[in-house]
Amino acid sequence: MSLTRMTSWISLVYHLENFRLDDGFMLYQALMDQFHGKRSFLLMETKQILQSPENDIVYAVGIARSSKLALYHLSAKTGEVLKDIQESLPGELSGEIVLGSDDVLVALNKARSSLFLIKFNSGRISYNKVHVSDLVQDLSGTFKLQSLSNGVIALQTPSTVSLLKLKDTDGLEVVQRFDQPAALSDALTIAEKDQAFAVVRHVGSQIEFIVKFTSDVSSEIIREKVNIDQHRGNVEKVFLNSYIRTDKSHGFRALVVMEDHSLLLIQQGKVVWSREDGLASIVDVTTSELPVEKDGVSVADVEHNLFEWLKGHMLKLKGTLMLANADEVAAIQALRLKSSEKNKMTRDHNGFRKLLIVLTKAGKVIALHTGDGRIIWSNLLPSLRASRFGVMPSALRIYQWQVPHHSVMRENPSVLVVGKSGAESSAPGVFSILDSYSGEELNAMKLDHSVVQIIPLTLKDLSEQRLHLIVDSNSNAHLYPKSPDALDVFLHEMPNLYFYSVDILANVIRGYSLQKSCDIEGDEYCFSTKELWSIIFPSDSERIAISETRKMNEVVHTQAKTIGDHDVMYKYLSKNLVFVATVSPKAAGDIGSALPEEASLVAYLIDAVTGRILHRVTHHGAQGPIHAVLSENWVVYHYFNLRAHRFEMAVIEIYDQSRADNKDVMKLILGKHNLSAPITSYAGPEVVVKSQSYFFTHSVKAMAVTQTAKGITSKQLLIGTISDQVLALDKRYLDPRRSANPTQQEKEEGIIPLTDSLPIIPQSFVTHSHQVEALRGIVSIPAKLESTTLVFTYGVDLFYTQLAPSRTYDSLTDEFSYALLLITIAVLVAAIIVTWIWSKKKELRDKWR
């Protein structure tokens, strides 16, 4: 059945539920007769169904093929089509049709310049054409229609709202017009024949809440002004609700959805509560260090702190004596939170206190404190805002832009937000730079080129600004920031810079280098690209499913791995390593969409500089969805095994065999080793690959790997499961050298005996009993303390915790008893003193003998 037919059929079922038929079977039979016998009826988009009070006839009215009005007469008892009438309209309709009243439809033509008032009465159709310009003067931009019942229709544009009323002569008249951006709620039934609706609009720094009855649009029941945060944007949607006051009159409250996706409940001129629901649509995350605590304190600060200290102790005393009221109890709790060490707005020695700066789908940047998750600041970026019916910008990524050195703290760190001004790939890009501490927008610019790929570089200019390359749709690379110093640094390193692109639609991977010239004249910060290599996958057998590379800021502690027999294996640690997974075309759908004989998964390890395929492995009978993570010299990926009907996780480790000669101690002594020799991708390294696969119980939503400051701590995989929880799985379980009967040397090395499936230990769930609803991403952030990493998980919910993969070997735990330590030291000191006194007395007695 086509989607149009199904939509019309469901619409017919929905409308006919309101009618009282003598037999439910007759309703079912009527629908089946129309489904099998009248295909033209199902091709109609049903807009209204009415039952005549004079006879047993049901009238179905709708639009057929976007330019014809259709009216069907159906028998309410048998479902038989008694009569059908179709009438053509002058010009096509846009598809936007609302119900003006019980017997009038209001439709907008395709040119969006006229309205058709379509009236059906006594089994007949008539229409009247009204020009929009005759109703509303100076109308510009796109607009939409909204029905408010009782013949009231709203004509909304991005900047105005006009309330129209149906006249007896089949015309429309403007009742009221609002010249500010506004949103209207649906009509809410209050009395048997009366309904109310709400209008919420911006008036300066406030929003105005207006409630009207559809029976008398010119009058107002409620008009209230409410102060709100200006970083919430315009009002997007309004939902009206009523309640009964103590005097039996109707009161109204409104749930308001703002442009930044936040929610406000407005009642009696106040915001009762608000929620930052934009945090449910995070698209990217970065972090920022907090300010360094200053040593010097002013006299005013001392006096203020002394006053706060006295006030706090008085409140705590009242709380202890059970004399505090509810407000004072709340103030005591707030003071405790404020005085808590983890909630300070300064950085700590262990690096646990940070700012999580998140970018939401609405284009809002929000800074969260890791101590208690409170919002420090938020900013809805003007460059990423759009009209409600115009082109919709999109926020893409957020990066660290400027991170001043510890010795130069005159400037605050800043972040860079990159977006696009439209949905097309050729839409111009948008830049916005914000202060990490205050959220103030320092600079905003609309780029004169598109944004297809964003490449953050490890290079910095003299002002500590990080260099970024933006690749546009014409394959030109643009350097930012545009400063002479940044250009000098970039040109010095440009011969060593390469990048790659993955075109999933074309099923091809390409590698590029940068050239000094650009097609744009006069732009010295624009560089053309040269295609060095390409890998084209045959579309009839493979489709690109996923690609992964190493994190730019990943730290590797050691280049070698010592195994049980005291041999050394050197890791292949090229940052140009790319993992690509492809699936067969029939296996590109959901699980079960292909037979095991038709499904296959191919994993590739590719050098992004030369395009050389370092390793290739095929998993027959495997299907996506595929999730992967690449770290150091290994990659772990998750897929579904159709033959075993179970999920699997596979691991590939790659080692550099060309450095095997470095194991000779004499060469190290004589200085003939090649440890300091430059590593180049063009040398064609001799690699050794080890791989293994294991059964895994859960389906996976996201994967990440723990990151620490020096890379010494053991790695753990952070796996977001289908149950919206995060599992921390030790990397040792995914060692490809595991065997069923490990040798004594392998046991001493710490290799775990081989099992067919990976263990799921309940204590390994980082989220414990909590669920992160609709989990989408996991971020691991290194702390200054090597043993600890910070884990942030986002979806509809947010979850943050500290994780110690190898336990806290470099610090004392929170449960450590400092009091017991002090008592032990005091006892030892006392014992030493007593022993010394006894020794002196004994020595004196011995001399007197």
Side-chain angles (χ1 to χ4, degrees):
M1 188 191 307
S2 69
L3 181 61
T4 306
R5 295 176 181 176
M6 178 62 78
T7 304
S8 301
W9 187 43
I10 294 174
S11 177
L12 180 61
V13 172
Y14 173 76
H15 284 94
L16 285 180
E17 282 180 351
N18 299 322
F19 302 135
R20 294 180 297 174
L21 299 180
D22 296 333
D23 194 347
F25 176 75
M26 293 181 182
L27 172 61
Y28 171 80
Q29 188 64 40
L31 292 173
M32 290 301 100
D33 289 344
Q34 302 313 314
F35 176 68
H36 293 292
K38 291 289 183 179
R39 294 186 179 271
S40 61
F41 175 67
L42 290 171
L43 287 172
M44 178 187 72
E45 184 180 356
T46 308
K47 290 300 180 181
Q48 180 72 324
I49 295 182
L50 300 172
Q51 185 175 17
S52 174
E54 302 173 356
N55 48 47
D56 295 329
I57 297 179
V58 175
Y59 300 101
V61 186
I63 306 298
R65 298 178 181 87
S66 75
S67 61
K68 286 187 177 181
L69 294 173
L71 174 63
Y72 284 84
H73 299 215
L74 289 85
S75 172
K77 292 183 178 180
T78 64
E80 179 185 359
V81 177
L82 304 177
K83 188 179 181 181
D84 63 278
I85 304 172
Q86 293 191 10
E87 185 168 342
S88 299
L89 291 174
E92 294 186 356
L93 302 178
S94 65
E96 193 167 340
I97 304 172
V98 298
L99 186 66
S101 62
D102 291 339
D103 57 352
V104 176
L105 293 174
V106 180
L108 184 65
N109 69 344
K110 194 170 184 178
R112 309 187 74 87
S113 60
S114 302
L115 297 174
F116 289 101
L117 306 182
I118 306 165
K119 188 172 184 179
F120 42 93
N121 191 12
S122 301
R124 296 183 179 181
I125 296 177
S126 60
Y127 66 88
N128 185 24
K129 185 177 180 180
V130 177
H131 293 284
V132 177
S133 58
D134 295 338
L135 296 172
V136 182
Q137 302 294 328
D138 302 328
L139 187 65
S140 61
T142 59
F143 55 89
K144 69 176 185 178
L145 301 175
Q146 180 179 349
S147 176
L148 298 173
S149 186
N150 285 345
V152 181
I153 298 170
L155 186 66
Q156 300 185 62
T157 70
S159 58
T160 63
V161 173
S162 300
L163 298 179
L164 311 178
K165 181 79 173 178
L166 284 172
K167 296 188 296 184
D168 296 336
T169 57
D170 293 340
L172 287 169
E173 61 178 350
V174 179
V175 180
Q176 191 173 2
R177 174 171 172 169
F178 300 97
D179 291 328
Q180 294 85 11
L184 284 81
S185 71
D186 292 331
L188 178 68
T189 302
I190 301 299
E192 183 177 354
K193 293 185 179 180
D194 209 352
Q195 295 176 318
F197 67 94
V199 180
V200 179
R201 62 171 182 165
H202 277 270
V203 180
S205 61
Q206 300 175 316
I207 61 172
E208 195 171 40
F209 175 46
I210 304 171
V211 178
K212 295 172 174 286
F213 279 130
T214 55
S215 58
D216 187 8
V217 181
S218 58
S219 61
E220 299 172 352
I221 308 170
I222 294 176
R223 178 184 284 265
E224 299 170 345
K225 290 186 178 180
V226 184
N227 294 317
I228 65 165
D229 183 6
Q230 293 304 304
H231 289 297
R232 298 187 183 274
N234 293 328
V235 180
E236 289 290 322
K237 292 183 180 179
V238 182
F239 300 92
L240 187 63
N241 179 256
S242 67
Y243 61 94
I244 305 298
R245 298 192 181 104
T246 55
D247 59 355
K248 304 301 181 181
S249 62
H250 285 281
F252 295 92
R253 61 173 74 94
L255 181 65
V256 180
V257 183
M258 304 299 293
E259 187 178 350
D260 65 344
H261 297 173
S262 61
L263 300 179
L264 308 174
L265 183 66
I266 297 176
Q267 183 177 342
Q268 295 179 354
K270 296 181 180 179
V271 177
V272 181
W273 56 260
S274 63
R275 283 173 54 97
E276 281 285 356
D277 268 18
L279 290 171
S281 57
I282 293 176
V283 296
D284 199 12
V285 183
T286 189
T287 60
S288 176
E289 294 287 350
L290 286 166
V292 177
E293 190 170 2
K294 297 180 180 179
D295 297 331
V297 181
S298 64
V299 177
D301 290 338
V302 171
E303 293 177 350
H304 177 73
N305 292 336
L306 180 62
F307 174 74
E308 292 292 331
W309 182 83
L310 292 173
K311 179 182 176 182
H313 275 273
M314 289 298 296
L315 286 173
K316 290 178 182 178
L317 180 61
K318 292 181 69 175
T320 304
L321 299 176
M322 308 292 288
L323 299 176
N325 55 31
D327 293 337
E328 290 174 337
V329 170
I332 293 171
Q333 293 177 348
L335 283 173
R336 287 174 179 170
L337 288 174
K338 186 177 179 181
S339 61
S340 176
E341 188 72 20
K342 69 176 185 179
N343 296 334
K344 288 185 176 180
M345 277 299 296
T346 55
R347 66 181 68 177
D348 59 320
H349 296 293
N350 295 328
F352 293 161
R353 293 197 297 263
K354 294 180 183 291
L355 285 181
L356 291 170
I357 304 178
V358 301
L359 175 64
T360 67
K361 188 177 180 180
K364 189 172 187 178
V365 184
I366 303 174
L368 306 172
H369 195 289
T370 57
D372 55 358
R374 70 184 185 275
I375 296 176
I376 303 301
W377 55 261
S378 62
N379 192 346
L380 180 62
L381 302 180
S383 55
L384 292 177
R385 293 179 60 183
S387 62
R388 286 180 291 168
F389 317 120
V391 179
M392 186 64 183
S394 58
L396 296 178
R397 299 294 300 272
I398 184 169
Y399 300 96
Q400 291 182 345
W401 176 253
Q402 186 177 23
V403 184
H405 196 266
H406 291 281
S407 60
V408 185
M409 299 304 298
R410 292 187 297 272
E411 295 185 7
N412 293 343
S414 55
V415 294
L416 168 68
V417 177
V418 184
K420 293 196 302 183
S421 59
E424 301 82 9
S425 60
S426 59
V430 175
F431 262 27
S432 183
I433 300 173
L434 291 87
D435 189 298
S436 297
Y437 293 163
S438 64
E440 179 187 357
E441 190 172 33
L442 305 176
N443 189 14
M445 65 184 80
K446 186 173 182 180
L447 309 181
D448 54 1
H449 56 82
S450 59
V451 176
V452 175
Q453 190 174 357
I454 309 165
I455 307 174
L457 304 177
T458 56
L459 307 175
K460 296 182 181 180
D461 62 8
L462 294 178
S463 61
E464 300 284 341
Q465 292 181 345
R466 295 190 174 180
L467 274 59
H468 293 73
L469 275 180
I470 307 296
V471 182
D472 62 17
S473 56
N474 297 321
S475 297
N476 291 326
H478 303 264
L479 176 65
Y480 292 92
K482 291 187 175 183
S483 64
D485 178 44
L487 184 61
D488 293 340
V489 173
F490 179 76
L491 290 176
H492 184 264
E493 295 292 335
M494 191 178 71
N496 300 322
L497 295 177
Y498 300 86
F499 70 96
Y500 72 97
S501 65
V502 180
D503 192 340
I504 296 179
L505 296 178
N507 214 33
V508 61
I509 302 177
R510 297 183 177 91
Y512 301 89
S513 66
L514 297 170
Q515 305 293 318
K516 292 186 178 180
S517 61
C518 185
D519 296 337
I520 304 175
E521 295 183 1
D523 190 354
E524 58 181 342
Y525 300 97
C526 177
F527 303 89
S528 61
T529 59
K530 178 183 178 181
E531 183 176 327
L532 299 178
W533 57 267
S534 64
I535 300 176
I536 302 174
F537 298 95
S539 300
D540 56 344
S541 60
E542 295 183 55
R543 299 294 301 175
I544 297 176
I546 190 175
S547 65
E548 285 291 336
T549 187
R550 283 177 56 188
K551 298 291 185 184
M552 183 183 65
N553 58 349
E554 184 183 31
V555 180
V556 180
H557 174 62
T558 177
Q559 299 181 11
K561 179 179 181 180
T562 305
I563 57 179
D565 58 358
H566 304 290
D567 195 6
V568 178
M569 300 177 67
Y570 289 94
K571 303 175 183 178
Y572 184 79
L573 294 174
S574 173
K575 290 190 176 182
N576 303 313
L577 187 64
V578 180
F579 169 77
V580 178
T582 65
V583 294
S584 56
K586 291 187 178 180
D590 296 331
I591 294 176
S593 60
L595 297 174
E597 296 77 15
E598 301 171 334
S600 64
L601 183 152
V602 186
Y604 296 88
L605 290 177
I606 302 172
D607 189 292
V609 175
T610 62
R612 182 183 293 111
I613 298 177
L614 303 176
H615 181 66
R616 178 181 184 272
V617 61
T618 302
H619 301 272
H620 295 287
Q623 187 179 10
I626 304 170
H627 297 273
V629 61
L630 179 59
S631 176
E632 293 191 355
N633 68 317
W634 53 266
V635 59
V636 174
Y637 52 100
H638 177 276
Y639 56 92
F640 187 77
N641 189 330
L642 289 171
R643 297 182 187 275
H645 301 286
R646 298 176 69 177
F647 290 101
E648 285 187 359
M649 292 185 75
V651 57
I652 300 175
E653 290 187 358
I654 182 168
Y655 295 92
D656 189 354
Q657 189 67 13
S658 62
R659 305 175 66 188
D661 295 338
N662 297 334
K663 293 179 281 189
D664 193 337
V665 178
M666 291 303 298
K667 287 187 176 182
L668 291 173
I669 295 174
L670 298 175
K672 295 183 178 181
H673 58 84
N674 64 348
L675 284 176
S676 59
I679 299 174
T680 172
S681 295
Y682 289 102
E686 301 175 18
V687 296
V688 175
V689 174
K690 298 181 180 297
S691 61
Q692 184 64 273
S693 61
Y694 307 89
F695 289 125
F696 190 67
T697 309
H698 294 283
S699 176
V700 171
K701 285 188 171 183
M703 287 179 64
V705 64
T706 55
Q707 305 284 341
T708 55
K710 303 297 181 182
I712 302 173
T713 306
S714 300
K715 299 284 187 180
Q716 282 188 341
L717 288 172
L718 302 174
I719 303 171
T721 64
I722 194 65
S723 60
D724 290 328
Q725 292 180 300
V726 179
L727 174 70
L729 183 65
D730 198 322
K731 171 60 176 62
R732 293 185 303 155
Y733 287 110
L734 286 156
D735 191 333
R737 297 172 54 239
R738 289 177 62 186
S739 60
N741 298 307
T743 64
Q744 184 61 33
Q745 292 177 336
E746 290 176 339
K747 289 180 180 178
E748 292 175 358
E749 185 185 344
I751 292 181
I752 303 172
L754 179 65
T755 55
D756 61 345
S757 61
L758 297 171
I760 305 297
I761 305 172
Q763 291 81 2
S764 298
F765 281 99
V766 177
T767 50
H768 307 292
S769 60
H770 301 290
Q771 286 184 309
V772 183
E773 192 68 31
L775 186 150
R776 292 194 312 277
I778 305 171
V779 180
S780 177
I781 307 150
K784 290 182 180 178
L785 203 62
E786 170 58 28
S787 65
T788 308
T789 182
L790 313 177
V791 179
F792 177 63
T793 306
Y794 59 91
V796 173
D797 299 325
L798 305 180
F799 181 84
Y800 170 83
T801 189
Q802 299 173 8
L803 187 64
S806 300
R807 302 198 177 184
T808 52
Y809 56 82
D810 52 357
S811 64
L812 299 176
T813 62
D814 295 336
E815 293 81 13
F816 183 80
S817 177
Y818 292 94
L820 183 60
L821 176 63
L822 292 174
I823 292 173
T824 304
I825 293 174
V827 170
L828 289 174
V829 171
I832 290 171
I833 294 173
V834 171
T835 305
W836 180 77
I837 294 173
W838 285 350
S839 175
K840 287 294 183 181
K841 287 184 179 181
K842 185 177 181 300
E843 184 181 353
L844 183 61
R845 284 196 303 268
D846 291 341
K847 287 182 179 180
W848 277 102
R849 288 178 182 177

